[in-house]
Amino acid sequence: MRQSLLTALAKQQIPIPGLFDRPLDSLSSTELEHLARKAWMLRQNWAKKSPVVRKTLIMKLDSLPYQDGGVPPSFTFIEKAGKRYLLTFMVKDRTREGYLYNLQCWDLEVSPPRCIAERKLNHRNLAVNKNVHSLASLAVLTPSIEILGIDHSAEDPVSGFYTVSKIQNSTERPIALNDSLVITQNDRQQLYLVRIHEDDDHHIELRSGQPV
């Protein structure tokens, strides 16, 4: 009965906070009941003409000097081990080649939010893993394609991102990441499918069907 309720919520495209892509069969009756009740209460609240804000979370980010109109900051929510995190990606400084970027991961389960991982990058290309259970959290260009994980227990944010794998000698950039599969693109807009942890030269080119 409770699982049927959750399935009905999902079919109505009502968000179910706390599910974290877990299959419904893996949840206990208590968890199913809690998630269903929470999802329905949030839906009822936000469907009102004047929704009531239940919780406000304020983050204080360092003031970065080069946030010009051409390079807007980006913010991405991710979920890991049942917790919520926020990835922020902003310009840190100008360089001769372009910009130096600041990538940070913030723990949203503590108040105030705490930066648990930080990395400086020379390229803007970033792809977040769609599989929340994978050790590989995101792919960046460094200039090789580097697959990063997040150490949630790191004492220093500088060591919070760690390298899971690298795709060496690549002239492409990452545009999507799902589990151990990376989709890359080169300057000619050609797309490739690459499986990490395997031979770096093993690229599969993706092509749309052409009429005969």
Side-chain angles (χ1 to χ4, degrees):
M1 177 65 180
R2 298 184 182 94
Q3 184 166 339
S4 298
L5 177 58
L6 266 181
T7 303
L9 291 174
K11 286 183 178 179
Q12 297 178 53
Q13 297 185 341
I14 296 176
I16 305 176
L19 187 58
F20 300 124
D21 283 350
R22 291 177 293 175
L24 297 179
D25 293 339
S26 68
L27 304 179
S28 66
S29 297
T30 302
E31 288 177 307
L32 288 169
E33 183 176 357
H34 173 73
L35 291 177
R37 182 184 295 113
K38 185 177 181 180
W40 183 251
M41 290 177 62
L42 288 172
R43 173 68 175 181
Q44 291 290 91
N45 181 43
W46 289 110
K48 295 178 181 178
K49 291 184 178 180
S50 301
V52 178
V53 177
R54 304 293 184 185
K55 183 178 179 181
T56 301
L57 194 62
I58 299 177
M59 291 182 58
K60 184 178 180 181
L61 301 178
D62 292 336
S63 177
L64 299 179
Y66 292 103
Q67 299 304 313
D68 57 43
V71 189
S74 67
F75 303 91
T76 306
F77 290 100
I78 62 173
E79 298 169 353
K80 284 288 182 182
K83 297 182 65 176
R84 297 178 302 160
Y85 299 91
L86 176 67
L87 287 177
T88 61
F89 197 66
M90 297 186 289
V91 174
K92 176 72 175 178
D93 204 348
R94 285 186 182 272
T95 66
R96 289 185 177 181
E97 294 76 19
Y99 294 100
L100 177 66
Y101 298 96
N102 196 40
L103 172 66
Q104 293 177 302
C105 179
W106 297 81
D107 184 353
L108 300 180
E109 299 294 328
V110 297
S111 183
R114 181 174 64 90
C115 178
I116 63 170
E118 184 173 7
R119 177 75 68 94
K120 302 294 185 298
L121 299 170
N122 293 107
H123 301 273
R124 186 173 175 80
N125 304 96
L126 171 72
V128 177
N129 203 330
K130 300 296 183 182
N131 186 343
V132 299
H133 305 293
S134 174
L135 289 177
S137 296
L138 60 155
V140 297
L141 198 60
T142 64
S144 61
I145 296 178
E146 190 169 351
I147 313 301
L148 301 179
I150 302 173
D151 183 357
H152 310 282
S153 60
E155 296 183 1
D156 187 348
V158 175
S159 58
F161 287 116
Y162 65 92
T163 301
V164 175
S165 180
K166 277 188 178 182
I167 303 176
Q168 301 282 9
N169 304 319
S170 175
T171 59
E172 301 133 27
R173 55 189 176 274
I175 62 172
L177 175 63
N178 191 348
D179 198 10
S180 62
L181 296 174
V182 187
I183 295 180
T184 65
Q185 186 178 50
N186 60 22
D187 292 336
R188 293 180 292 175
Q189 308 304 311
Q190 293 172 303
L191 297 175
Y192 295 90
L193 182 66
V194 185
R195 185 180 294 276
I196 61 178
H197 308 306
E198 290 190 357
D199 187 353
D200 292 343
D201 294 328
H202 187 66
H203 286 46
I204 301 175
E205 184 176 358
L206 304 179
R207 297 181 179 180
S208 61
Q210 298 293 331
V212 179

